[in-house]
Amino acid sequence: MLFVTIQELEAAINYWRSQSPSEGDELRLCPEAAALAKPYALMIVQGAQRVPMDVLDELARSAIQKFQKTS
């Protein structure tokens, strides 16, 4: 089973934010960053350091995989 660490999620969110900055008055995140922000927030609340890749939804999994290929 593959895992994603909280540090990887944070780096991926920052990567996607740099690729597509927040928009609008509400500073809406791009779809990739938003998809990664949900499991990231849950990990913070739960005090988790890593999460299994298979619990991420399809968009979050795709976003983290694309980020990992660039780094």
Side-chain angles (χ1 to χ4, degrees):
M1 180 181 304
L2 297 175
F3 289 88
V4 177
T5 66
I6 194 164
Q7 292 85 3
E8 287 176 300
L9 277 178
E10 184 176 7
I13 290 167
N14 290 332
Y15 168 79
W16 286 109
R17 289 183 64 216
S18 72
Q19 297 299 306
S20 181
S22 301
E23 299 177 340
D25 291 337
E26 69 280 1
L27 298 176
R28 179 180 54 251
L29 294 172
C30 67
E32 294 86 357
L36 294 170
K38 292 174 188 176
Y40 179 73
L42 285 173
M43 290 174 74
I44 291 172
V45 170
Q46 296 170 350
Q49 290 300 306
R50 63 184 191 161
V51 65
M53 186 78 95
D54 62 356
V55 302
L56 301 177
D57 66 29
E58 188 175 331
L59 181 55
R61 195 169 28 250
S62 174
I64 194 75
Q65 288 170 339
K66 288 177 184 175
F67 164 72
Q68 288 171 334
K69 287 179 184 177
T70 66
S71 55

